[in-house]
Amino acid sequence: QVQLAERGGGSVQVGGSLRLSCRQSQKIYGGATCLGWVRQVPGKEREGVASYHVGSSSSYYADHAKGRFKISQDNFETTFFLDMTGLKPDDTAMYYCAARFPDCTSGNLMPHYNSWGQGTQVTVSS
């Protein structure tokens, strides 16, 4: 089991930027791996923000994230990121990083992840 740990949450003003990082306890081998970011607001279900399929190097974004957020992975394949720009109050949520392996297929914004981080809070104020 791979442990995931987020860093980088915090409070920003509208229009600001944040970089969230998710450190893996070990490298995940195999292309059938999905890495992603999910957020949750109290009282609501978790929603997919962005996902990345390692084998195809394909990224997927929720409509609200397109053009503002970017998911990426470092060259060592042990950390992945969510770069967020143009932040809005509606982006306020707990953000979780997640992974699914070894049988994740491409094309899914929110696959059935089997590893989760503890979450990091993002607060956007006007």
Side-chain angles (χ1 to χ4, degrees):
Q1 189 75 11
V2 174
Q3 278 74 52
L4 305 176
E6 303 95 342
R7 296 183 68 180
S11 298
V12 294
Q13 293 189 326
V14 170
S17 301
L18 279 176
R19 167 175 259 205
L20 305 183
S21 63
C22 181
R23 185 169 181 85
Q24 302 159 207
S25 59
Q26 62 191 65
K27 180 177 178 178
I28 302 171
Y29 292 91
T33 298
C34 295
L35 307 172
W37 292 91
V38 176
R39 71 185 187 185
Q40 187 172 27
V41 175
K44 294 187 177 181
E45 295 185 354
R46 289 182 177 182
E47 63 170 356
V49 176
S51 67
Y52 175 75
H53 185 260
V54 175
S56 63
S57 299
S58 298
S59 302
Y60 306 93
Y61 296 91
D63 287 343
H64 63 74
K66 291 178 181 176
R68 299 190 300 131
F69 296 179
K70 181 179 179 181
I71 187 170
S72 62
Q73 187 181 33
D74 74 343
N75 290 334
F76 300 102
E77 298 181 353
T78 57
T79 304
F80 58 101
F81 308 92
L82 183 68
D83 288 295
M84 305 187 291
T85 62
L87 285 163
K88 307 173 183 179
D90 285 349
D91 295 318
T92 296
M94 184 71 76
Y95 284 73
Y96 300 87
C97 64
R100 176 170 179 85
F101 59 95
D103 57 351
C104 195
T105 57
S106 63
N108 195 336
L109 172 63
M110 190 166 170
H112 188 64
Y113 292 114
N114 51 15
S115 289
W116 290 85
Q118 294 297 311
T120 186
Q121 178 68 36
V122 172
T123 302
V124 184
S125 58
S126 56

